[in-house]
C-alpha cells in the first residue's frame, strides 16, 4: 500500500512571518492525521523557520529546487547539504516553471535527483506536457523522455525513494484540472515506463497529480488507482483549504 502524500508548493509566496503564521494554524488543524504524509515547500528563506515550527509534528518541509554541486563558486545556488541543514526532507525538482523560465532540462533534473538522493533528500520530480504538446498528441513521448532521462541511472534502492509529480502545464494555475480519467491514464503510463526502468520499484513509488487541485476535486482524483497524492499550488496557501486537501476522503 502506498501512503498518500499531500504536498504544498508555495512557489514565490509568503514572507517568513506569513509562512510561520499559516503553519502554526495548519499544524493544529491536522494534528490527528496519520494516514497521509504532509509536505510544505516554502521559499528558501522560510525553510529554516518552518522546520523549527514543525518539529515533532506530522508536517514535513521541502525545498522547491536544489543545485547538484556540494559547494563553491556558484553564486545564488543552494547545495544539497544546506537544504538538509535547514531542515528539509524533500525537494521538488524539475517543476515546469523552472523548465519554462529557468532553463531546466531533463539532464539537469537528473543531476539534481542524484545529488538529492546522495544527501538523503527525497526528490519530488515533476513531469508534464504543455498545451501545445497535448494538442499535437506528442504528450506520451514528452512524458516518457522526461521520466527516462530525468530519472536514469539510479540504483535499485534509490529508485524506490523517488516521488514523481505529473503536472500538465495547461492545468497549472489555470483552474482547469485534468479529469480524473485523463490523470489516471498518464499516471498508469508513468508507472509502466518506470517499471521498464526499475521493475518493482514502480509499484512502490508515489505518483502525485498537480494542476488546479482543490478541495472540490481532490477526492475524485484520489479515487484513481495510480494517483497517490497531490502537488498543490494555489490551494495550499491557505490553512483551511490545505487542511481539506490533507483530509480528503476516498
Ligand atoms: P496550482 O495548484 O496553483 O494549479 O499549481 C500546481 C503546481 O504547479 C504545483 O507544483
Amino acid at each position: 500500500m502506498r501512503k498518500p502524500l499531500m504536498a504544498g508548493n508555495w512557489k514565490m509566496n509568503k514572507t517568513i512571518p506569513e509562512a510561520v503564521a499559516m503553519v502554526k494554524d495548519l499544524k493544529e488543524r491536522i494534528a490527528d492525521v496519520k494516514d497521509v504524509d504532509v509536505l510544505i515547500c516554502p521559499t528558501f528563506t522560510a525553510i529554516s523557520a518552518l522546520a523549527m515550527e514543525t518539529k515533532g509534528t506530522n508536517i514535513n518541509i521541502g525545498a522547491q529546487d536544489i543545485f547538484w554541486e556540494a559547494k563553491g563558486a556558484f553564486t545564488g545556488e543552494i547545495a544539497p547539504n544546506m537544504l538538509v541543514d535547514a531542515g528539509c526532507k524533500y525537494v521538488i525538482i524539475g517543476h515546469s516553471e523552472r523548465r519554462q523560465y529557468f532553463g531546466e532540462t531533463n539532464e539537469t533534473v537528473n543531476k539534481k535527483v542524484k545529488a538529492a538522493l546522495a544527501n538523503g533528500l527525497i526528490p519530488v520530480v515533476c513531469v508534464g506536457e504543455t498545451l501545445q504538446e497535448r494538442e499535437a498528441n506528442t504528450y506520451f513521448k514528452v512524458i516518457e523522455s522526461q521520466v527516462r532521462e530525468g530519472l536514469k541511472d539510479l540504483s535499485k534502492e534509490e529508485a524506490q525513494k523517488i516521488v514523481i509529480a505529473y503536472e500538465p502545464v495547461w492545468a497549472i494555475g489555470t483552474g482547469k484540472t485534468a479529469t480524473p480519467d485523463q490523470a489516471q491514464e498518464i499516471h498508469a503510463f508513468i508507472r509502466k515506463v518506470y517499471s521498464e526502468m526499475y521493475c518493482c520499484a514502480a509499484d512502490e513509488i508515489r505518483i502525485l497529480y498537480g494542476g488546479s487541485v482543490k478541495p472540490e476535486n481532490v477526492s475524485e482524483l484520489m479515487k484513481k488507482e495510480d494517483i497517490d497524492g497531490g502537488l498543490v499550488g494555489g490551494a495550499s496557501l491557505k490553512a483551511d483549504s490545505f487542511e481539506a486537501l490533507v483530509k480528503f476522503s476516498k
Side-chain angles (χ1 to χ4, degrees):
M1 263 306 270
R2 298 182 291 264
K3 188 174 182 186
L5 171 62
M6 202 53 70
N9 173 11
W10 283 1
K11 308 192 181 185
M12 200 172 71
N13 292 290
K14 294 190 191 291
T15 60
I16 299 172
E18 287 166 352
V20 170
M22 178 178 145
V23 162
K24 265 190 206 298
D25 185 4
L26 181 70
K27 72 180 181 186
E28 304 294 329
R29 291 169 179 263
I30 63 166
D32 56 343
V33 173
K34 291 192 181 65
D35 50 354
V36 176
D37 284 337
V38 180
L39 170 63
I40 300 268
C41 301
T43 56
F44 286 125
T45 49
I47 288 172
S48 180
L50 290 198
M52 279 189 257
E53 193 56 49
T54 54
K55 217 171 176 169
T57 73
N58 55 358
I59 301 175
N60 297 289
I61 300 300
Q64 298 172 17
D65 193 20
I66 188 172
F67 190 52
W68 55 82
E69 293 288 347
K71 63 175 177 178
F74 301 103
T75 301
E77 291 297 331
I78 314 269
N81 72 325
M82 295 169 185
L83 296 181
V84 175
D85 190 32
C88 287
K89 191 168 165 194
Y90 292 78
V91 57
I92 297 171
I93 296 174
H95 191 280
S96 64
E97 286 147 20
R98 298 224 56 91
R99 293 178 190 260
Q100 199 176 342
Y101 307 129
F102 303 101
E104 192 86 81
T105 62
N106 293 338
E107 195 186 347
T108 57
V109 166
N110 190 242
K111 286 184 175 183
K112 291 180 178 188
V113 167
K114 288 180 181 160
L117 289 165
N119 285 273
L121 291 160
I122 302 173
V124 179
V125 182
C126 303
V127 300
E129 79 284 5
T130 61
L131 182 60
Q132 230 179 354
E133 290 159 346
R134 177 151 284 257
E135 285 174 346
N137 252 322
T138 56
Y139 54 106
F140 283 104
K141 226 172 109 209
V142 168
I143 293 164
E144 177 162 3
S145 42
Q146 289 171 338
V147 174
R148 285 197 188 275
E149 292 166 30
L151 293 167
K152 69 180 182 191
D153 301 333
L154 305 181
S155 71
K156 199 174 144 203
E157 291 70 35
E158 289 175 332
Q160 290 169 346
K161 292 185 184 138
I162 299 290
V163 175
I164 297 178
Y166 169 56
E167 299 202 312
V169 179
W170 47 271
I172 295 177
T174 56
K176 205 170 151 186
T177 325
T179 65
D181 286 338
Q182 275 176 326
Q184 167 59 27
E185 181 186 34
I186 303 294
H187 282 230
F189 174 70
I190 291 171
R191 214 179 289 284
K192 180 180 141 280
V193 171
Y194 204 69
S195 77
E196 288 165 11
M197 297 168 71
Y198 299 114
C199 171
C200 345
D203 294 327
E204 287 174 39
I205 62 154
R206 290 176 290 191
I207 306 180
L208 315 182
Y209 170 76
S212 299
V213 176
K214 36 191 182 250
E216 301 79 56
N217 59 25
V218 68
S219 54
E220 287 309 304
L221 287 161
M222 292 300 294
K223 275 184 195 146
K224 294 293 176 186
E225 191 184 336
D226 288 294
I227 302 183
D228 307 311
L231 182 57
V232 188
S236 74
L237 291 169
K238 292 220 167 79
D240 57 353
S241 56
F242 197 57
E243 175 193 8
L245 291 172
V246 168
K247 295 181 177 170
F248 75 89
S249 53
K250 273 208 174 192

